Amino acid sequence: MSSGPVVAMVWQGLDVVRSCRALIGATDPADSLPGTIRGDFSIEVGKNVIHGSDSVESARREIGLWFRAEELLCWEDSAEHWLYE
């Protein structure tokens, strides 16, 4: 994370960890499918282009490393009622 700029963000939503990990791709870029971030932009594990928490518990801990509670805004999508029951 010290080799260049970092964009840190917090995502929220239904089953967000599983959904994000599917978008990110397998940890080993050689195992990542085309169309995933790692599948398209990573070459080797040691030079990983993206990190995603592997559980809600890990996410809570990692969010605390990057953000203070007052820095986080809870954004609500105006289309949310069309997406979730």
Side-chain angles (χ1 to χ4, degrees):
M1 289 185 276
S2 62
S3 65
V6 173
V7 176
M9 62 180 88
V10 177
W11 295 357
Q12 64 183 34
L14 183 65
D15 207 10
V16 70
V17 172
R18 186 174 58 85
S19 299
C20 290
R21 298 211 38 103
L23 175 69
I24 290 169
T27 301
D28 185 343
D31 297 332
S32 294
L33 297 173
T36 65
I37 295 169
R38 288 182 179 139
D40 290 351
F41 301 107
S42 290
I43 297 172
E44 58 184 53
V45 175
K47 295 289 185 182
N48 216 337
V49 69
I50 190 167
H51 169 74
S53 301
D54 61 359
S55 68
V56 173
E57 294 78 26
S58 293
R60 285 189 179 117
R61 184 182 58 77
E62 292 169 357
I63 290 166
L65 296 173
W66 290 93
F67 300 98
R68 293 186 310 259
E70 63 271 11
E71 294 177 317
L72 296 173
L73 302 174
C74 187
W75 177 76
E76 288 192 32
D77 186 350
S78 62
E80 186 173 337
H81 69 280
W82 295 104
L83 301 173
Y84 303 108
E85 292 186 48

